[in-house]
Structure formats: C-alpha cells, structure tokens
Amino acid sequence: MALTIAWIAVLIFFITSAGLLIVRDWRWSIILLAIQYFGMFILILQHWPLGMASVKLVAGWMSAAILGMTRSGLPADALDDDGIWPRGRLFRVFMAGMVVMIVAAVTPGVDTVMADVGYPVTAASLLLIGIGLLHLGFTSYILRVVIGLMTVLSGFEILYSAVEGSVLVAGLLAVINLGLALVGAYLLIAEDAPEEEAESL
C-alpha cells in the first residue's frame, strides 16, 4: 500500500513539474507548486514523523502563498513569459519526456548508491531536480526562476529525508524555502517599481 502511494506521488510530481513548464498563467503555476509540496509531504512521511513532514508542507504552502500574494499585487498586464526561450510548449513537453527517460535509466544506480532508499523516492527526487533545472534553463522571469529553484530544492529534500532525520536540518531547509520565496517577492516588487516610477513621470 505504501509503495503504491509513493508511486502515485511520483506521478503527481511528473504532472505538476511538467505543468509548470507548460502553463503560462501565474495562478496555475502557484497551484501546481502547492500540489507539488503536497506530493513531497506524502513521500517524506514514509521516512519522517508526521510533525517533521508537516513542517515541509506548511513551509512550502507558505512560500507559494507569499509568491502568489506578491504577484497578485502587481499589474495584471505584466508579462509572465518575458524572457522564456524557447516558447513552444511542444518542445518543453519533449524535453520533460527526455528528463523522464534519463531519470528512468539512472534511478537503479543512484538508488544503490543511496543505500536502497527506494525507487519511488529516488525517481521523484531526480525528476524534480531534472525538470527544475530544465525550468531554470527556459526562463529569466523572476517568478518562474524562483519556482524552478524551489522545485530543485524539493527534489534534494526528498532524497535527503530518506537518509537523514535531523530536526535542525529540516528546519533549516524550511527556512531556505521561505527565504527563497521572500527574495523572489522582493525582486518581483523591485522589478515593477521602475515601471511605476516611469509612468508617474
């Protein structure tokens, strides 16, 4: 039963991380990020107690809320796709499929190195890291860059939780998530400020 739930979480990760590559609306990006953190909670719960796993979920949802609230306060005509290359959705889907193929090929070897933490955990971690890095390569828009960084960090956290149960490190990683969201929120506001000043002149 636990193994089935773990593979369902991996499927959630594929849908959400690939969805983050495809969607253009920032609202959907925030929703997919929140769902991604729920999937991370499910996988981490297999190795950590409920309290520690809940910290990850709450920190992730707070980070998503910070980014969502900041973006909702910006002008509606702000271009979320500014700086994205290439723009073709089909190409991004193809690249996500390539990442899945690479992850499927290297998962057994990495799982052996990581003391057999389990194929679902290893696959989910590598999938998030791979697609997160792919996301970073496609965009220079601040919101999407922050989401890409948070996706990569989520992949690392899943793998780390399987081999280490330190409360201090769990708290530190939660603070890093919140810090990324706050830095992203600040940069979004700072990026919009010069445009408002130019309009006032």
Side-chain angles (χ1 to χ4, degrees):
M1 182 64 179
L3 188 61
T4 303
I5 294 174
W7 280 114
I8 291 174
V10 174
L11 180 61
I12 290 173
F13 286 137
F14 174 71
I15 294 172
T16 56
S17 57
L20 286 170
L21 283 175
I22 299 169
V23 297
R24 305 263 175 109
D25 190 344
W26 66 267
R27 297 173 187 84
W28 278 109
S29 296
I30 298 299
I31 291 171
L32 290 171
L33 183 65
I35 296 172
Q36 187 170 281
Y37 275 108
F38 179 72
M40 186 175 76
F41 167 75
I42 292 173
L43 273 186
I44 290 180
L45 196 58
Q46 298 187 25
H47 300 281
W48 283 2
L50 179 62
M52 287 179 63
S54 299
V55 169
K56 297 295 185 185
L57 180 64
V58 172
W61 282 358
M62 286 177 63
S63 301
I66 289 169
L67 292 173
M69 289 169 58
T70 303
R71 178 60 186 85
S72 66
L74 299 178
D77 59 349
L79 294 177
D80 286 4
D81 283 334
D82 186 31
I84 291 181
W85 185 92
R87 294 178 181 271
R89 292 184 179 181
L90 187 60
F91 177 78
R92 284 182 251 175
V93 171
F94 171 75
M95 291 305 296
M98 292 295 292
V99 171
V100 170
M101 291 174 60
I102 293 171
V103 168
V106 303
T107 292
V110 175
D111 186 62
T112 302
V113 173
M114 297 302 296
D116 295 324
V117 296
Y119 280 10
V121 172
T122 307
S125 174
L126 295 177
L127 181 66
L128 287 178
I129 292 172
I131 294 190
L133 292 173
L134 191 64
H135 198 97
L136 291 173
F138 279 160
T139 183
S140 61
Y141 180 63
I142 293 171
L143 178 63
R144 295 186 180 275
V145 167
V146 173
I147 289 175
L149 288 171
M150 292 170 74
T151 301
V152 172
L153 184 61
S154 296
F156 170 76
E157 289 183 77
I158 290 171
L159 200 57
Y160 184 83
S161 68
V163 297
E164 179 62 51
S166 171
V167 177
L168 182 62
V169 176
L172 178 63
L173 290 172
V175 169
I176 291 174
N177 269 306
L178 292 171
L180 270 175
L182 289 172
V183 169
Y186 170 77
L187 291 176
L188 281 170
I189 294 171
E191 184 185 47
D192 186 59
E195 297 178 4
E196 293 181 352
E197 291 176 3
E199 289 176 2
S200 64
L201 295 175

